[in-house]
C-alpha cells in the first residue's frame, strides 16, 4: 500500500472512533412527567406539564439545574446539559403519539419544551443529556442571562 491509502485509512478509522465515542458520552433516561431525577454531580433533571398559560407557555418542559441540599439550587447546570427530549402523549382511547425537541442554542441546553396537544396528556419523556464542554461551561456559568 502506498502512503496515501494508509493516511486515508488512518483518518477514516479516527473518524469512526470519534463518532462512536460521541454517542457513548451521551446518556438517556426516562422520567415521568411531574417527577425529577438526579443525574450526577449535583445536577437534576425536572419535568413538568403546563396545561394553561402562566409563568411558562402551555406545554411540557424538561429543566436541568444544579441541586445542593445545603447550599440550595442554582438555576444553571454545573456538569451536564440537555440534548434532546422525546415526550409521549396519550389520549382517552389509548393512542400514543410522540413529539421531539432538541437543543439548538446555549439557553436550550438547560430547558427544552414541546407544545401542548389538545386531546392528549403527556405521561413520560425520554431525556438525553451529555457532559458540558469547557466552552459551554464558561457560557452557562459565566452569565446570568444567556
Amino acid at each position: 500500500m502506498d502512503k496515501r491509502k494508509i493516511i486515508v485509512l488512518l483518518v477514516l478509522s479516527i473518524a469512526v472512533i470519534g463518532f462512536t465515542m460521541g454517542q457513548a458520552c451521551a446518556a438517556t433516561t426516562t422520567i415521568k412527567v411531574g417527577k425529577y431525577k438526579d443525574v450526577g454531580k449535583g445536577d437534576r433533571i425536572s419535568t413538568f406539564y403546563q396545561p394553561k398559560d402562566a409563568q411558562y407557555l402551555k406545554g411540557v418542559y424538561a429543566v436541568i439545574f444544579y441541586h445542593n441540599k445545603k447550599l440550595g439550587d442554582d438555576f444553571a447546570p454545573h456538569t451536564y446539559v440537555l440534548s434532546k427530549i422525546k415526550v409521549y402523549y396519550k389520549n382517552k382511547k389509548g393512542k400514543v403519539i410522540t413529539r421531539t425537541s432538541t437543543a439548538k442554542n446555549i439557553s436550550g441546553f438547560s430547558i427544552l419544551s414541546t407544545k401542548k396537544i389538545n386531546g392528549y396528556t403527556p405521561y413520560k419523556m425520554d431525556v438525553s443529556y451529555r457532559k458540558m464542554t469547557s466552552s459551554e461551561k464558561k457560557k452557562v456559568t459565566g452569565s446570568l442571562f444567556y
Side-chain angles (χ1 to χ4, degrees):
M1 277 204 216
D2 61 347
K3 290 181 181 179
R4 281 186 148 177
K5 288 182 181 179
I6 292 173
I7 291 173
V8 168
L9 288 174
L10 183 64
V11 168
L12 287 174
S13 63
I14 290 172
V16 168
I17 291 170
F19 284 119
T20 305
M21 291 303 291
Q23 295 297 325
C25 295
T28 302
T29 185
T30 301
I31 306 172
K32 290 185 179 183
V33 174
K35 303 290 182 181
Y36 68 86
K37 184 168 189 170
D38 293 323
V39 292
K41 300 198 180 189
D43 285 347
R44 174 180 280 182
I45 298 174
S46 181
T47 63
F48 63 94
Y49 174 49
Q50 186 71 42
K52 298 179 181 177
D53 285 334
Q55 180 177 359
Y56 294 96
L57 298 175
K58 298 176 200 173
V60 183
Y61 293 85
V63 181
I64 189 166
F65 59 94
Y66 179 75
H67 174 75
N68 187 313
K69 290 181 183 179
K70 294 180 181 178
L71 302 175
D73 294 339
D74 186 359
F75 72 94
H78 286 197
T79 308
Y80 298 99
V81 290
L82 298 176
S83 302
K84 180 173 84 169
I85 61 170
K86 183 176 183 180
V87 181
Y88 293 83
Y89 294 88
K90 188 185 286 188
N91 67 4
K92 292 180 181 179
K93 295 179 181 178
K95 182 180 176 187
V96 175
I97 59 174
T98 62
R99 294 293 183 264
T100 303
S101 176
T102 57
K104 294 178 181 70
N105 56 30
I106 194 70
S107 64
F109 289 151
S110 61
I111 185 167
L112 290 175
S113 66
T114 62
K115 293 182 179 180
K116 177 184 174 186
I117 301 173
N118 290 330
Y120 286 84
T121 305
Y123 65 97
K124 73 175 182 176
M125 66 175 70
D126 292 335
V127 182
S128 298
Y129 60 96
R130 62 175 174 76
K131 213 167 198 176
M132 260 191 264
T133 63
S134 58
S135 64
E136 291 170 344
K137 195 173 264 197
K138 287 177 187 173
K139 288 178 184 177
V140 170
T141 59
S143 172
L144 291 176
F145 304 101
Y146 51 87

